[in-house]
Amino acid sequence: MRNYTAIADFAKTLAGTFDNINQAQENPKDYARINIVFRPLPWRIFKGPGFYSEQCYDYAPWDPYRQGIHRLVLDQNLFVMENFAFDNPRRLAGAGRNPELLDELHSESLKRRCGCAMHFRSISPGHFVGNVEPGKSCLIPRDGKLTYLVSEVEFNQTSWISRDRGFDPENNVQVWGSEHGMLRFEKIASFSNEVTNEWLELKT
């Protein structure tokens, strides 16, 4: 029961839409306005809790520049968001806002992205911090060469703070990512009502 409660708290806190409108308006030269969405997946995908995520510029909600499928598991006190690629991501573009598009997703199309899971821990009730799993093995091509991802996240019921950067595996020099510090988002919509006992496979 304790594990279900912990996963439910994490999932309800995560589920929603985050917008950095204030940061973008205060400093438009350095920060574009971005939306991040975490939408609970249909239970059938993992036969347990999972999420669809997408990031897009606010002016292009149907053209996300990042999409992901994530299985949520609890490993002792560590919340692990496993990361999966999937076929034909354009078909799911916009599913953060229109979850009926997730009907097009089938578990057999998923491919695990090795080394790219996010590891989160609770630092206080409803407040989580996370990083990409250790090992420098989440490799992302950029401008014709591979880089390894360094991802830092902190979130709670009202905010999301993050920074993603890519580094050269040979010399550890930053190749891409924010040069102006953390991106700071506010939660503008919650999907916590979709995190039900049935979604968690909790039998009552």
Side-chain angles (χ1 to χ4, degrees), residues 17 46 101 104 112 148 165 167 187 192 196 200 203:
T17 301
F46 291 121
L101 294 175
E104 299 295 322
R112 185 187 297 273
Y148 68 85
R165 293 173 292 167
F167 290 81
K187 196 171 194 178
S192 61
T196 62
L200 294 163
K203 305 303 183 184

Side-chain angles (χ1 to χ4, degrees), residues 46 71 80 82-86 109-117 133:
F46 291 121
R71 176 164 48 195
V80 179
E82 299 173 343
N83 203 324
F84 294 81
F86 53 96
S109 76
L110 301 181
K111 303 175 183 66
R112 185 187 297 273
R113 297 187 64 205
C114 295
C116 294
E133 65 180 280

